[in-house]
Amino acid sequence: MTMKTVFKKTSGLTDAPTHYCPGCTHGVIHRLVGEVLEEMDILEDTIGVASVGCSVLSYEYFNCDMTQAAHGRAPAVATGVKRVLPNRFVFTYQGDGDLASIGISEVIHAAARGENITVIFVNNAIYGMTGGQMAPTTLIGQKTATTPFGRDVSIQGSPIKVCEMISTLDGAAYIERVSAHDVPHIQKVKKAIRKAFETQKKGLGFSLIEVLSTCPTNWGLDPAESLVWVKDNMVPVYPLGVYKNKEGVK
Amino acid sequence: MGKVLMKGNEVIAEAAVHAGCKYFFGYPITPQSELVAYMARRLPEVGGLFLQAESEIAAINMVYGAAGTGVRVMTSSSSPGFSLKQEGISYLVGSELPAVICNIVRGGPGLGNIQPAQSDYFQVTKGGGHGDYNIPVLAPASLQEIVELTKAAFDIADRYRTPVILMGDGMLGQMMEPVEFGERLDKEQFKKEWATTGTRGDGGPKIITSLELNAESLEERNRNLQRKFARIKENEVRYETYLIDDAEYIMVAFGTVARITLNAINKARREGVKVGLIRPISLWPFPEKPFIETRGRVKGFISVEMSAGQMIEDVKLAVNGFAPVDFFGRTGGVVPTQEEIYDKIMSVTGGVTV
């Protein structure tokens, strides 16, 4: 009987076991990025930029050259890398605290410059690594360590919608929001990541994929409930879809 | 090329190009903006790249990214902007990346003014950002010396995998003097196997990071850094002395102020006062040796600074109590005059010492 390989580990990831909490979708998103880099055969030409937060150790998981950036600064670091090595693929992997709060300036200006890099933006509506505090993406009414009575618009303002905002910039070439809460959607996540790297390959400019993700630990929900919470609570606030596709990347 | 008349800030930029720097990420701030503008015009001519960042924080992090690819890269700023770069500088040290950062110091604190000052001395020589670290700091006193020290800054950066600070004051940045660049300076080659340029044909992935979650491992990393700092202290001390062999009093000054102090010394010498000068060129590592060598034959030191008294602490550490250390300084962007330094010499020495 001939055995057929139907599933294997991607060469886009190292063998290092990840530190992510059970039920967190970082692992899934990592794998999808790794698969895309492997399938496009660009792993050896890629330099990734890790951020601060839960994904701080992603430099140990992606099987390519990696640089660890200061909190929020990954798009600036990636700019430095890409401007020296314009024919390499450069991506950042950032959470919502990193990108939408302290690093909002760096990501806006990288997009405005049309920096030919890809940003993988993982949005779980909360600060994970520091223990579940409010993020700029925290939903109205959502309880966190620093919004114990729920996020109140009159006090903490409204969630920042990164895709909507970035897509207004001329330098933004491919902007899509996807969600990792079930299998059909996970397949769309991979397609979106692939389109982002294709955009970079064609030199079209800045690409950003926002992936709605879970944080069972800080949400106080079990992994299955967390996936439902993304679908029921996050997707209505953060509508999925392509926000910018400048050159009609397919 | 011969001698050309140039502005200090532009000399720094051209010297960096001569040293093989092809990448510059910066943000305009007075009194160093000519440096940024010069690079914007000059770097494309040598196949390099200039990029104006959205902030000093972004600029230093672009430098971090570029440095990680192994190229010679530079940024520059002035005091308030330099403060913003501290985060990135600490990361450059922690990740052991070479880069040159120029600080053309102006009056502070806060927004201060745009006049020359040296009041960032503590910030550049005592770390500045978070964590245990020191950075080599070179402080030229003339535009010709800028040419030599800019090259030295890039070499030190590459040799030790460290950021290096080139520190001047607003006067040095704005003055014009004839300078000679000579031939291109980037002859010494440094292998950078650690650089992240993609793994193709290159073995396994390389990682640039300053993160070390295990306390013992981070301590070991810090010990390695301290060993490196010790090597730098051993090998990279620079200073100049003037008439110290018979001096009874020694002035200590760096940068622009050293030149003014030199004139005051010459005037005092004409009056029979035996006074000399130690001019630290590397502010870190601070040149302790010339101080120690005068032990037993010098009656006192006078630190002259464009600050409220910062370098004086390093002078006192070097002197370690064997002689009194006096101070004269102007702050807020005021440049001391030759006359007031002369008066200080006279009041400390009591006039004729022959």
Side-chain angles (χ1 to χ4, degrees):
Chain A
M1 186 179 131
T2 332
M3 299 282 273
K4 191 182 162 197
T5 305
V6 291
F7 191 80
K8 65 178 177 62
K9 181 187 149 292
T10 171
S11 66
L13 297 179
T14 66
D15 290 333
T18 69
H19 68 287
Y20 299 117
C21 299
C24 167
T25 47
H26 262 314
V28 173
I29 302 162
H30 273 34
R31 185 182 163 100
L32 299 176
V33 173
E35 283 178 359
V36 168
L37 296 178
E38 181 188 19
E39 288 166 17
M40 288 177 71
D41 193 24
I42 57 173
L43 200 53
E44 292 182 314
D45 302 314
T46 297
I47 297 113
V49 182
S51 59
V52 171
C54 287
S55 54
V56 70
L57 289 172
S58 62
Y59 60 75
E60 291 189 352
Y61 309 143
F62 291 112
N63 193 20
C64 58
D65 275 3
M66 292 291 294
T67 296
Q68 204 281 315
H71 203 180
R73 319 297 177 215
V77 173
T79 297
V81 176
K82 186 73 179 187
R83 292 295 180 123
V84 177
L85 303 170
N87 61 355
R88 305 294 202 284
F89 291 84
V90 178
F91 76 94
T92 74
Y93 190 101
Q94 305 174 256
D96 48 298
D98 187 86
L99 180 140
S101 192
I102 193 169
I104 195 81
S105 166
E106 281 77 7
V107 75
I108 287 174
H109 286 278
R113 285 191 301 269
E115 213 61 66
N116 195 31
I117 60 171
T118 297
V119 171
I120 307 296
F121 168 44
V122 180
N123 178 4
N124 62 7
I126 205 163
Y127 279 68
M129 181 63 97
T130 42
Q133 298 84 0
M134 186 194 81
T137 47
T138 291
L139 305 184
I140 293 163
Q142 187 181 341
K143 286 184 180 177
T144 71
T146 49
T147 52
F149 313 108
R151 181 175 185 162
D152 181 339
V153 176
S154 71
I155 299 171
Q156 292 96 6
S158 308
I160 292 179
K161 298 178 179 181
V162 170
C163 285
E164 288 83 338
M165 182 171 66
I166 297 287
S167 61
T168 65
L169 300 167
D170 292 342
Y174 194 90
I175 308 293
E176 181 170 359
R177 183 182 290 126
V178 287
S179 176
H181 69 266
D182 62 23
V183 173
H185 283 90
I186 287 169
Q187 286 169 341
K188 286 184 183 170
V189 175
K190 184 172 174 182
K191 271 187 193 158
I193 292 170
R194 172 131 193 164
K195 282 183 190 170
F197 279 100
E198 294 287 355
T199 299
Q200 188 177 160
K201 191 176 185 178
K202 290 179 179 167
L204 298 177
F206 184 84
S207 52
L208 178 145
I209 302 302
E210 175 175 346
V211 189
L212 302 185
S213 177
T214 56
C215 186
T217 302
N218 288 304
W219 290 352
L221 300 173
D222 71 32
E225 289 168 346
S226 295
L227 294 170
V228 175
W229 197 87
V230 171
K231 180 166 71 78
D232 290 349
N233 296 286
M234 287 186 73
V235 173
V237 177
Y238 298 111
L240 307 181
V242 176
Y243 285 82
K244 190 85 172 270
N245 190 356
K246 210 171 169 182
E247 309 274 334
V249 177
K250 285 176 184 158
Chain B
M1 196 169 168
K3 283 203 170 181
V4 284
L5 185 66
M6 283 177 83
K7 204 171 191 177
N9 285 328
E10 299 187 335
V11 173
I12 297 167
E14 184 58 36
V17 173
H18 267 69
C21 170
K22 283 191 175 175
Y23 298 90
F24 185 97
F25 301 90
Y27 189 79
I29 180 171
T30 310
Q32 63 84 53
S33 292
E34 297 87 354
L35 204 169
V36 179
Y38 190 94
M39 284 301 203
R41 193 174 63 244
R42 184 76 171 98
L43 282 175
E45 291 176 1
V46 293
L49 175 118
F50 164 86
L51 188 62
Q52 180 167 323
E54 64 270 28
S55 69
E56 287 87 349
I57 296 171
I60 192 70
N61 281 284
M62 289 172 186
V63 165
Y64 180 97
T69 70
V71 296
R72 287 196 156 180
V73 58
M74 184 183 194
T75 185
S76 69
S77 196
S78 180
S79 309
F82 187 78
S83 288
L84 288 174
K85 290 186 192 292
Q86 292 302 330
E87 172 195 89
I89 293 172
S90 173
Y91 278 74
L92 285 164
V93 174
S95 301
E96 300 199 74
L97 293 178
V100 174
I101 302 139
C102 180
N103 184 7
I104 299 297
V105 182
R106 65 189 235 183
L111 204 46
N113 61 19
I114 58 170
Q115 308 302 322
Q118 296 179 325
S119 45
D120 296 355
Y121 182 91
F122 282 151
Q123 195 180 30
V124 297
T125 60
K126 311 293 180 195
H130 58 282
D132 280 317
Y133 74 84
N134 287 103
I135 307 177
V137 184
L138 301 177
S142 72
L143 303 205
Q144 189 60 54
E145 195 177 28
I146 284 174
V147 176
E148 178 206 331
L149 292 186
T150 303
K151 147 79 173 159
F154 279 102
D155 281 352
I156 293 169
D158 280 345
R159 192 173 301 129
Y160 299 95
R161 288 180 61 181
T162 178
V164 175
I165 293 168
L166 199 61
M167 178 171 167
D169 56 71
M171 177 82 90
L172 206 63
Q174 294 296 320
M175 69 165 69
M176 291 184 85
E177 284 184 328
V179 290
E180 198 163 9
F181 289 96
E183 52 193 307
R184 275 185 67 98
L185 296 166
D186 56 334
K187 283 189 176 156
E188 196 172 343
Q189 294 299 315
F190 295 88
K191 282 186 184 168
K192 298 181 176 177
E193 284 108 349
W194 47 265
T196 49
T197 55
T199 60
R200 200 168 286 280
D202 201 22
K206 294 173 292 297
I207 296 168
I208 289 169
T209 182
S210 55
L211 181 69
E212 194 64 71
L213 290 170
N214 178 281
E216 276 76 21
S217 304
L218 184 57
E219 186 178 46
E220 184 49 34
R221 209 170 162 140
N222 269 288
R223 283 191 179 131
N224 281 332
L225 283 176
Q226 293 298 327
R227 281 190 275 270
K228 174 162 86 178
F229 301 151
R231 286 202 305 282
I232 296 172
K233 279 181 97 164
E234 188 77 20
N235 302 323
E236 305 297 342
V237 173
R238 289 164 187 257
Y239 61 93
E240 199 176 71
T241 61
Y242 181 67
L243 302 179
I244 62 166
D245 289 346
D246 68 338
E248 296 186 352
Y249 288 88
I250 292 179
M251 315 295 289
V252 191
F254 70 95
T256 296
V257 185
R259 295 170 67 160
I260 304 166
T261 303
L262 201 69
N263 292 337
I265 287 169
N266 286 336
K267 190 178 175 195
R269 279 270 172 180
R270 285 195 294 273
E271 301 295 325
V273 181
K274 287 184 176 171
V275 61
L277 174 74
I278 295 175
R279 177 170 73 91
I281 296 171
S282 58
L283 302 183
W284 191 89
F286 190 77
E288 292 167 352
K289 196 166 144 244
F291 292 89
I292 295 162
E293 284 173 353
T294 64
R295 187 181 179 126
R297 61 182 169 87
V298 165
K299 289 180 182 167
F301 295 86
I302 306 170
S303 186
V304 186
E305 306 173 41
M306 284 197 284
S307 72
Q310 300 192 15
M311 181 177 69
I312 186 174
E313 294 192 3
D314 282 335
V315 174
K316 283 184 174 175
L317 282 171
V319 170
N320 201 16
F322 74 70
V325 180
D326 221 306
F327 174 73
F328 181 77
R330 297 297 302 269
T331 184
V334 179
V335 180
T337 64
Q338 181 184 319
E339 287 67 34
E340 56 194 14
I341 298 172
Y342 171 82
D343 289 347
K344 179 69 185 180
I345 293 172
M346 288 306 175
S347 91
V348 171
T349 62
V352 178
T353 57
V354 184

